[in-house]
Amino acid sequence: MHNAFTIDVEDYFMVSNFAGAVRFEDWGSFESRVGSNTRLLLELLSARGIKGTFFVLGWIAERDPRLVREISEAGHEVASHGYNHRLVYDLSPDEFRDDTRKSKMILEDVTGRPVIGYRAASYSLVKESLWALDVLMEEGFRYDSSIFPIRHDRYGFPEAERFPYMIKRKGGVITEYPPSTYRLFGQNIPFSGGGYFRLLPLWCTMKASRHINEVEGKPVIFYLHPWEIDAGQPRIRTQFLKTFRHYVNIEKTLGKLDLFLKGFEFKPILEMMNEAEGAGKIVSL
């Protein structure tokens, strides 16, 4: 069973938890650490023989095209994470279109390859912003990985499917690759990356992943951010809960990740989708 290893390429000061403390206009004044952290992840993946999908922020690709070329030339898929990490439900359809189109053009110019995958900032494609799927299809995207089937104060669509499926809209069909969840007591429990991976003991992540592969017969969609392996990043002060979410167990991430990667097989979402083209459940949303 092959799983999808995905990385959201953004810097530590760009995250939604710090949106109230860091203005977009000030991003250029912060120390950039995304290049060194991403290259460390590239080295780890190379050592393990793993190819993944990198959802790259357009703002980063615009300023560091060399980094994006390194990702692509190493055999990984480059997909879009939007341009400036704005939440989908805070945008109008026209603003969202401009954002995704700009990011897609930058990434395709840098890599010389089509960009067909998208992941929204902070999984902000929720029930109220499903219109974004229509825009994605119109802009040439073939798959999305933004609908997190959980309950959360910032994102989540708990009624959505847990495993990869095809979404039928008036304008066509797009494939969805949701972050993986573990079903427990009638609830979808997140475990497959980000703060959940840092917060939970490694054995929980391993057990849940094996259950999905071996019992449910489905792939795990795992995600991480480069800043999550960087214990030395500058500290930004904000509300307690947001600070906790960002920094919890950050010094342990790299070691846990190395052990996790040893236990499973991975491939880019693009390969996973091409091998299952036309298959899977179709849902009308």
Side-chain angles (χ1 to χ4, degrees):
M1 175 68 67
H2 279 86
N3 305 288
F5 184 82
T6 70
I7 295 175
D8 295 351
V9 183
E10 60 192 55
D11 224 327
Y12 64 97
F13 53 84
M14 300 174 174
V15 302
S16 297
N17 279 325
F18 295 153
V22 178
R23 300 188 310 161
F24 170 70
E25 293 77 12
D26 295 331
W27 278 10
S29 66
F30 283 80
E31 174 194 359
S32 177
R33 301 170 70 90
V34 68
S36 58
N37 291 327
T38 301
R39 290 183 175 96
L40 186 56
L41 286 170
L42 286 171
E43 291 176 6
L44 178 60
L45 294 177
S46 177
R48 296 278 167 252
I50 293 172
K51 305 298 182 186
T53 296
F54 286 67
F55 293 95
V56 183
L57 212 62
W59 192 91
I60 291 174
E62 196 172 50
R63 285 155 181 78
D64 194 355
R66 179 182 174 184
L67 175 64
V68 182
R69 282 193 291 269
E70 288 178 24
I71 294 170
S72 180
E73 291 169 1
H76 302 286
E77 177 191 6
V78 173
S80 173
H81 197 35
Y83 180 76
N84 64 358
H85 211 265
R86 294 182 66 186
L87 303 177
V88 174
Y89 50 71
D90 285 342
L91 300 173
S92 69
D94 286 342
E95 288 173 329
F96 178 71
R97 184 184 303 277
D98 290 344
D99 181 274
T100 53
R101 180 177 293 176
K102 184 175 184 179
S103 175
K104 192 174 192 290
M105 289 178 61
I106 292 170
L107 294 171
E108 290 181 339
D109 285 346
V110 171
T111 64
R113 298 179 179 179
V115 170
I116 66 164
Y118 176 82
R119 176 174 286 162
S122 298
Y123 296 103
S124 52
L125 212 166
V126 298
K127 186 178 295 187
E128 293 74 22
S129 56
L130 289 175
W131 51 262
L133 294 171
D134 301 318
V135 176
L136 291 176
M137 287 188 286
E138 291 166 3
E139 293 301 317
F141 291 93
R142 292 172 55 201
Y143 78 82
D144 173 70
S145 184
S146 308
I147 301 179
F148 212 147
I150 64 169
R151 299 184 187 279
H152 190 278
D153 56 3
R154 182 183 296 124
Y155 55 80
F157 191 161
E159 302 88 359
E161 298 290 324
R162 292 176 54 226
F163 301 117
Y165 58 104
M166 303 176 76
I167 299 175
K168 184 178 181 180
R169 302 279 294 176
K170 186 176 181 180
V173 175
I174 189 169
T175 305
E176 181 65 32
Y177 288 87
S180 296
T181 56
Y182 184 80
R183 191 74 174 167
L184 185 66
F185 301 126
Q187 300 293 320
N188 296 338
I189 309 299
F191 73 90
S192 58
Y196 308 112
F197 179 68
R198 290 183 281 117
L199 182 63
L200 293 171
L202 180 59
W203 68 265
C204 286
T205 307
M206 302 284 279
K207 182 177 180 179
S209 297
R210 290 196 180 102
H211 177 86
I212 287 177
N213 283 175
E214 299 170 7
V215 178
E216 301 194 72
K218 301 293 184 179
V220 170
I221 312 298
F222 184 87
Y223 71 96
L224 202 73
H225 306 84
W227 55 263
E228 292 187 278
I229 65 169
D230 183 10
Q233 65 187 268
R235 262 31 183 187
I236 296 175
R237 294 183 179 274
T238 186
Q239 298 173 2
F240 172 78
L241 180 58
K242 294 179 179 180
T243 301
F244 175 80
R245 285 173 172 171
H246 187 86
Y247 296 114
V248 62
N249 292 333
I250 204 166
E251 71 282 355
K252 301 177 182 178
T253 309
L254 191 57
K256 288 176 67 176
L257 180 62
D258 189 28
L259 292 172
F260 177 69
L261 293 179
K262 292 178 182 178
F264 300 91
E265 299 290 331
F266 296 91
K267 65 173 59 173
I269 290 179
L270 177 60
E271 288 187 24
M272 189 177 290
M273 186 184 70
N274 286 340
E275 292 172 4
E277 194 68 53
K281 190 172 184 178
I282 300 179
V283 177
S284 295
L285 291 179

